[in-house]
Amino acid sequence: MGTQMTEMLKGTLEGIVLSIVARRAGYGYEITASLREQGFVDIAEGTVYAVLVRIEQRGLVDVTRVASDKGPPRKVYAMNALGREELDRFWTTWTFLSDRLIRLHEEERSS
Amino acid sequence: MGTQMTEMLKGTLEGIVLSIVARRAGYGYEITASLREQGFVDIAEGTVYAVLVRIEQRGLVDVTRVASDKGPPRKVYAMNALGREELDRFWTTWTFLSDRLIRLHEEERSS
DNA sequence: TACCACTAAATAGTATCACTAAGTACCGCT
DNA sequence: AGCGGTACTTAGTGATACTATTTAGTGGTA
């Protein structure tokens, strides 16, 4: 993947995944597919699983093993209260950064 | 600084600095002050200088040493053609990511 | 049976980046 | 001489996404 997007995803990918899980509980393979549908075609599976392991270890999501008729058992991730707080903080941080970037972009164009 | 902002700045701080330099050539200490004025009060000096070293080594900026009557000589960074291209790519990448995050945020609120 | 495709998750090793913390250097003022 | 402000540098750390591979389960097919 392009280095630029790789670096930019640091710090945002976790929020993106949390946001997806917040809308609806899901498992890794499904979340990866969801990301691809949203345009993140180059995000590797392994990357998503690493994020999921991390948010699970931090207690931001609740995990349930569910049997599948199409393959190995799925680990379904559901948002909990702690994850909700983290996601709210994520949006606050992102909005702060985004506002400043928008301003910079506008100032750059008008100079 | 908060871990969240630290991680989110990865990949964007370089673009922010490039954007500042694009508007007007400047030196490290000045750019750091500019960042603080724009609300990035917690970005350490060392961090900014590291970015400047990097973009210089990548040939994205032209550097001139200018004597100062208030301290050591300044290294003034000015954007060049390569830096302009990189900055354009940065905005493209950021807009892509930002669009998707905005969509996620909206969908999250309306669900 | 043997092979392949798809589903599903995990892991070891690497590169990049921002941060902390400290240091060096130059100037004017008291 | 000492101090605060200006200005830049550097070594070491932690967090993150990436590459590449491995392991498992199911169903279809040559």
Side-chain angles (χ1 to χ4, degrees), chain B residues 10 23 25 28 40-41 73 85 93 107:
Chain B
K10 290 183 181 177
R23 290 201 62 197
F40 298 104
V41 288
E85 284 172 26
T93 306
E107 284 171 5

Side-chain angles (χ1 to χ4, degrees), chain A residues 72-102:
Chain A
R74 298 164 175 166
K75 282 180 74 175
V76 175
Y77 296 85
M79 168 131 305
N80 62 25
L82 214 61
R84 183 70 251 173
E85 284 173 27
E86 180 70 12
L87 183 52
D88 288 343
R89 271 194 300 276
F90 168 79
W91 285 124
T92 302
T93 305
W94 184 76
T95 302
F96 177 91
L97 186 58
S98 178
D99 285 351
R100 269 140 200 86
L101 277 164
I102 288 168

Side-chain angles (χ1 to χ4, degrees), chain B residues 20-34:
Chain B
I20 290 173
V21 172
R23 290 201 62 197
R24 192 164 59 90
Y27 54 98
Y29 197 80
E30 188 186 26
I31 291 165
T32 303
S34 172

Side-chain angles (χ1 to χ4, degrees), chain A residues 1 6 9-11 13 47 51 54 58 69-72:
Chain A
M1 180 153 43
T6 293
L9 279 172
K10 291 183 181 177
L13 182 56
T47 301
V51 172
R54 208 164 65 221
R58 287 193 195 154
D69 55 347
K70 288 182 183 175

Side-chain angles (χ1 to χ4, degrees), chain B residues 4 6 8 19 40-41 43-44 53 56 62 66 70-71 77 79 83 85-87 90 105:
Chain B
Q4 218 171 31
T6 293
M8 219 177 282
S19 181
F40 298 104
V41 288
I43 293 183
V53 167
E56 180 187 356
D62 295 326
V66 179
K70 289 181 182 175
Y77 296 86
M79 168 132 305
E85 284 172 26
E86 179 71 11
L87 183 53
F90 167 78
H105 202 179

Side-chain angles (χ1 to χ4, degrees), chain B residues 1 6 9-11 13 47 51 54 58 69 71-72:
Chain B
M1 181 152 42
T6 293
L9 279 172
K10 290 183 181 177
L13 182 57
T47 301
V51 172
R54 208 165 64 222
R58 287 193 194 155
D69 54 347

Side-chain angles (χ1 to χ4, degrees), chain A residues 2-34:
Chain A
T3 308
Q4 220 172 29
M5 182 59 91
T6 293
E7 291 308 320
M8 220 178 280
L9 279 172
K10 291 183 181 177
T12 57
L13 182 56
E14 184 178 301
I16 290 168
V17 169
L18 279 175
S19 182
I20 290 173
V21 172
R23 291 199 63 196
R24 192 164 60 90
Y27 55 98
Y29 197 80
E30 186 186 27
I31 291 165
T32 303
S34 172

